[in-house]
Amino acid sequence: DTGVSQDPRHKITKRGQNVTFRCDPISEHNRLYWYRQTLGQGPEFLTYFQNEAQLEKSRLLSDRFSAERPKGSFSTLEIQRTEQGDSAMYLCASSAPKGSDRGGGGANVLTFGAGSRLTVL
Amino acid sequence: DQQVKQNSPSLSVQEGRISILNCDYTNSMFDYFLWYKKYPAEGPTFLISISSIKDKNEDGRFTVFLNKSAKHLSLHIVPSQPGDSAVYFCAARPYSGNTPLVFGKGTRLSVIA
């Protein structure tokens, strides 16, 4: 397995356009997370899925944002009518089913992708 | 409000010396704490974790100490190497295990040769 893959790595768009990011998690991981990171901040939680069910959404996720994981494998994050404040690194992470986490000592380690950097002009 | 705080934005250490990165938290309902390392243009990578029932966990050059009464944890890197230069994030997991990790803002470590 090659880890968590995100596409595209960089996206430059004009304000008002829609953008979509894709995340392919580690194949045996059933949980998938989206985080956002801006300059000088740590990753901020947006939403997460267990299999195909979206279990939690942050209040950061405005109604212009929508995430899907239709078959419990890859996920997409769409931002409609982008604003300059949406410029950030969008990070995807996945984690193993509870109890099967290896190497994290039970901490349910998240494995992150390299991120998709969005610049809204 | 920020539940996980890393109050030092940056730290410089000489190669071979000890690096100590600090993290404070406000929520008593965290059961695991994790440290992640991030290089530019890469996602954060897991480094080491500690359960709230322990006070120390060691993995090679990396040791994490937890002081529950002070709601404080620290990551020690001994000896520091230039390749350790990165941003280090402290993260915490709520007891339920069903809520995602909460991250601090990070500390940029520079190890000077």
Side-chain angles (χ1 to χ4, degrees), chain A residues 5-19:
Chain A
S5 299
Q6 292 190 245
D7 183 69
R9 293 290 309 277
H10 303 275
K11 179 72 177 178
I12 300 173
T13 191
K14 291 182 179 178
R15 189 178 56 188
Q17 298 294 304
N18 299 345
V19 296

Side-chain angles (χ1 to χ4, degrees), chain B residues 46-59:
Chain B
F46 170 71
L47 196 55
I48 191 169
S49 66
I50 187 167
S51 163
S52 61
I53 63 172
K54 296 188 183 271
D55 54 21
K56 178 182 174 181
N57 188 25
E58 192 171 351
D59 183 1

Side-chain angles (χ1 to χ4, degrees), chain B residues 41-108:
Chain B
E42 295 183 12
T45 56
F46 170 71
L47 196 55
I48 191 169
S49 66
I50 187 167
S51 163
S52 61
I53 63 172
K54 296 188 183 271
D55 54 21
K56 178 182 174 181
N57 188 25
E58 192 171 351
D59 183 1
R61 296 186 298 113
F62 302 92
T63 303
V64 57
F65 295 93
L66 175 62
N67 182 336
K68 281 185 70 174
S69 61
K71 294 192 176 70
H72 176 83
L73 63 152
S74 59
L75 174 68
H76 293 213
I77 307 173
V78 181
S80 301
Q81 299 172 353
D84 296 329
S85 297
V87 178
Y88 289 79
F89 292 103
C90 174
R93 190 186 83 167
Y95 268 111
S96 69
N98 292 324
T99 304
L101 297 180
V102 180
F103 285 83
K105 290 186 177 184
T107 297
R108 180 177 300 279

